[in-house]
Each structure stands twice: as C-alpha cells, then as structure tokens.
Amino acid sequence: MAAFPATGVSYMAQEQEQRKESRPPREGGGGGRGPGGDRGPRGDRPGGDRGERRGERGDRGERGDRRFEGPPEIELEKLIGDSLYLDNQAHAIVSRMRDMDSGTKSQLRRLYSAVRRAVRAPEGERQHEFVMLRARLAYTIARHGLRSLDQLEKLLLQVTRKNDIRGYERFKDLFEAIVAYNE
C-alpha cells in the first residue's frame, strides 16, 4: 500500500476515514461513542443506562418492563398433598429439558442416586445431606447448562428449609418420575 509521505497513513486508511465522516450520524447520538471514538461506561451514553432507555424502544407488550421469569415455582405443599400435581410437574420439567438442555440420562440418574442416599440418611444428618445435594445440583446445572432444572433447585431449598420427611420423600418421588419420563 502506498502511504502519504507527510502523514504516514495509507491511502486506503484515509479513504475509509473519509467514508466514515461522510456518513449521516446514527440515531440516538452517534452510537454511544465519546470523544476520541472510545466507548465510555454505560452511564456516559446519551439516555443514561439501559433502564432509562427502555421507553425509546416502543411498546413491549402486556408484560411492560417486567423480565421473563421462567416457569412458576413448584409448590411444596401441593407436591406433598397431590400426586397428580407431582406427575404434571415431572412431565413439565422433562418437556423443558428436551426443549432447552442437552443433559444426559446418566447425569440425571447420578443425581437421583444422591437424592435416594440423602433420604435414607439418619434423621440428624438428613438436612445436611440435602443441603449438600442442593450444592451438587447447582454445580451440575451450571457446569452442564441444565437450566430446566432450576425449578428443582428452588424446590430443594424449600424442602431443606422445611426439614420434613414427607417433603424429602416427595422430592425423591418427583425426581424418580423425572428420570422415568426422560427415558
């Protein structure tokens, strides 16, 4: 490439710069670039941070500014008292797993084995076993991207806080149904 002797800038680089200068400015103040072309922090952009700009994007439908929160939480009391509710929740989780995740059946079976061991633990150690199970479940969800199991992690927190054998048993039953329906 040929360079201009006075500036040391190639002809192509200078031509590209001229094209940029001749473009009309972007809507909203030039794309958020500050002096010198560097991007500043979000707060320095015209319109402030994302929260203040939401109104500029038009109608967001019925939800307004509320974020999508995913499926509703599984209710522990309904799970304990209603077998059909347990069955429906297991089907829903497996359906989401098939849509969202690439989790393997062996990962689920391994977690289910840990659930069974935790339920069989002596009464004084059971809550601790379920606390550790929740940590293991959280790790597995994060490590393998199993976002469809987030509901189970939340339910496991409820079960652990309640510290009731019926809750532990029903959580095991739910997990067993998930493993069975995922086959």
Side-chain angles (χ1 to χ4, degrees):
M1 274 187 262
F4 290 107
T7 61
V9 177
S10 72
Y11 175 74
M12 287 183 72
Q14 190 175 23
E15 191 176 83
Q16 287 176 347
E17 190 62 36
Q18 286 175 349
R19 271 192 243 133
K20 284 182 185 176
E21 290 173 3
S22 65
R23 288 183 190 155
R26 291 182 178 177
E27 287 184 33
R33 295 198 183 263
D38 294 332
R39 286 191 183 268
R42 290 183 190 263
D44 292 345
R45 291 182 181 172
D49 64 356
R50 286 184 167 273
E52 294 174 16
R53 292 187 359 207
R54 285 196 173 160
E56 297 174 10
R57 293 188 180 176
D59 186 24
R60 289 194 173 264
E62 295 175 26
R63 293 180 183 244
D65 287 339
R66 204 175 85 199
R67 284 184 49 191
F68 178 71
E69 297 171 1
E73 277 190 28
I74 299 172
E75 297 176 36
L76 179 59
E77 293 304 320
K78 281 178 87 172
L79 194 71
I80 290 172
D82 187 357
S83 297
L84 288 177
Y85 180 76
L86 182 144
D87 187 61
N88 290 336
Q89 293 301 317
H91 273 293
I93 289 171
V94 170
S95 175
R96 275 192 303 280
M97 284 175 65
R98 290 187 178 140
D99 292 345
M100 296 171 57
D101 301 332
S102 60
T104 64
K105 294 173 184 173
S106 62
Q107 288 169 342
L108 268 182
R109 283 194 300 268
R110 219 172 300 128
L111 285 169
Y112 176 59
S113 293
V115 169
R116 289 178 54 203
R117 274 193 306 277
V119 168
R120 289 192 311 254
E123 189 175 342
E125 297 174 23
R126 192 174 296 131
Q127 186 174 26
H128 174 73
E129 290 294 320
F130 270 88
V131 167
M132 296 311 297
L133 178 65
R134 181 169 173 256
R136 184 174 178 178
L137 180 61
Y139 171 79
T140 302
I141 289 169
R143 175 78 172 92
H144 300 287
L146 302 174
R147 301 285 21 137
S148 61
L149 297 182
D150 282 341
Q151 266 188 309
L152 281 180
E153 185 184 0
K154 291 176 184 173
L155 177 63
L156 189 51
L157 178 62
Q158 291 177 46
V159 168
T160 306
R161 284 182 176 161
K162 187 170 182 174
N163 196 19
D164 178 29
I165 186 64
R166 294 176 308 142
Y168 293 135
E169 287 288 340
R170 293 306 263 185
F171 183 81
K172 179 186 71 105
D173 294 343
L174 176 66
F175 219 107
E176 182 179 350
I178 290 168
V179 170
Y181 289 138
N182 195 44
E183 289 298 320

